[in-house]
Amino acid sequence: MEHSNNHATSARYVVILFAVALAVVTYMQRHAIAQAAPAIQGELGLTKIQMGLVFSAFGWMYALCEIPGGFAGDRWGSRRVLAVIVFAWSFFTAATGWVWNLFSFIFARGCFGAFQAGCFPNIARMFANWLPTDERVRAQGIMWLGARWGGAFTPLLVVVFLRYLNWRLAFLA
């Protein structure tokens, strides 16, 4: 059972810290592909249009699965659902490095998008369950700041990873 928001505890700070860390990771993982795209295109022989299909696979599956991901959290609890989807999308992030053709690439990125889609609805549920009403907006702001910083620093980190690892190992890391 999730915590009631009627009795605020210091655990709410752990919830906010967890949400910020998760937001940073989600944006880092979804933005990493842009820096690796030229190397991937070269190795797999993909055109820009085909890469566009790969990028679209993430977006379409994310859009289709965001509401079901939120419903899952309402049904089974946000902590349980977040544990499952973080494991699943991390697996498909690593699986991006295992692709061998366009279809496998679309599949891996689509699954990545499908599982990542439930993240933010379930964080919102966590905030509703664990934070007093007057702290939720600030927590959302801090979380989204972390997400944007994660996306902003990703190109720098990926360039470093790609300098020392190939793109396949970079997604595994």
Side-chain angles (χ1 to χ4, degrees), residues 24-135:
V24 168
V25 169
T26 60
Y27 271 68
M28 289 178 77
Q29 288 180 329
R30 72 173 68 169
H31 288 283
I33 195 161
Q35 299 302 310
I40 296 169
Q41 277 182 264
E43 184 177 324
L44 298 180
L46 301 177
T47 66
K48 287 184 179 189
I49 292 172
Q50 290 171 323
M51 284 301 290
L53 291 172
V54 170
F55 293 147
S56 295
F58 170 86
W60 278 104
M61 292 306 292
Y62 191 98
L64 290 171
C65 295
E66 194 165 17
I67 291 173
F71 283 151
D74 290 342
R75 173 87 165 98
W76 294 295
S78 57
R79 287 183 292 175
R80 183 174 295 137
V81 170
L82 280 169
V84 170
I85 65 176
V86 168
F87 174 79
W89 94 54
S90 296
F91 174 82
F92 284 107
T93 297
T96 300
W98 306 330
V99 301
W100 64 93
N101 63 16
L102 178 62
F103 178 76
S104 65
F105 202 5
I106 289 172
F107 180 80
R109 294 305 287 183
C111 290
F112 170 61
F115 284 107
Q116 203 176 74
C119 180
F120 292 110
N122 281 286
I123 288 176
R125 167 61 62 200
M126 266 186 3
F127 285 171
N129 289 340
W130 283 85
L131 301 179
T133 305
D134 62 338
E135 292 182 18

